[in-house]
Amino acid sequence: QKHFPSLKNLSCLILGTGGSAKAIAHSLKQQGAKITFLSRNPEDKKELTQFGQVLDIKKPLKEFFDLGIYTAP
C-alpha cells in the first residue's frame, strides 16, 4: 500500500462485464473506488450493481473518470 496511491473515491470505468471485470471491480470496491461498468447489454447485468452502476455502451457518457480499464475480448 505504501507504494501505490489511495483508490478511495477514485472514479473507475470498466469496459466489459465478464469474469475479469467482476474480479477487478471486487478489488477496487474493497479499496473504496467508485465503479461504473460499460456494457452492450446492461439490462442483463443487474448483478453488477452491487459494485456500482452499469451503463449502456451505446449511450454517450455524461461524466469523466479517473481510471479506465478495458476487459472486453
Side-chain angles (χ1 to χ4, degrees):
Q1 282 294 335
K2 68 179 183 174
H3 298 293
F4 298 101
S6 172
L7 299 178
K8 188 165 180 69
N9 295 318
L10 192 76
S11 61
C12 301
L13 178 67
I14 300 176
L15 287 86
T17 53
S20 297
K22 291 175 191 172
I24 291 167
H26 179 74
S27 181
L28 290 171
K29 178 108 175 162
Q30 285 183 326
Q31 299 296 318
K34 294 183 254 180
I35 301 163
T36 299
F37 294 93
L38 275 185
S39 175
R40 289 177 287 194
N41 302 304
E43 61 279 352
D44 296 339
K45 304 298 179 182
K46 299 298 181 200
E47 76 277 3
L48 295 176
T49 58
Q50 66 180 313
F51 300 111
Q53 62 180 338
V54 182
L55 302 178
D56 190 331
I57 200 165
K58 297 174 214 102
K59 296 183 180 176
L61 292 174
K62 297 181 180 177
E63 57 188 288
F64 292 96
F65 298 90
D66 300 312
L67 176 64
I69 302 168
Y70 183 81
T71 66

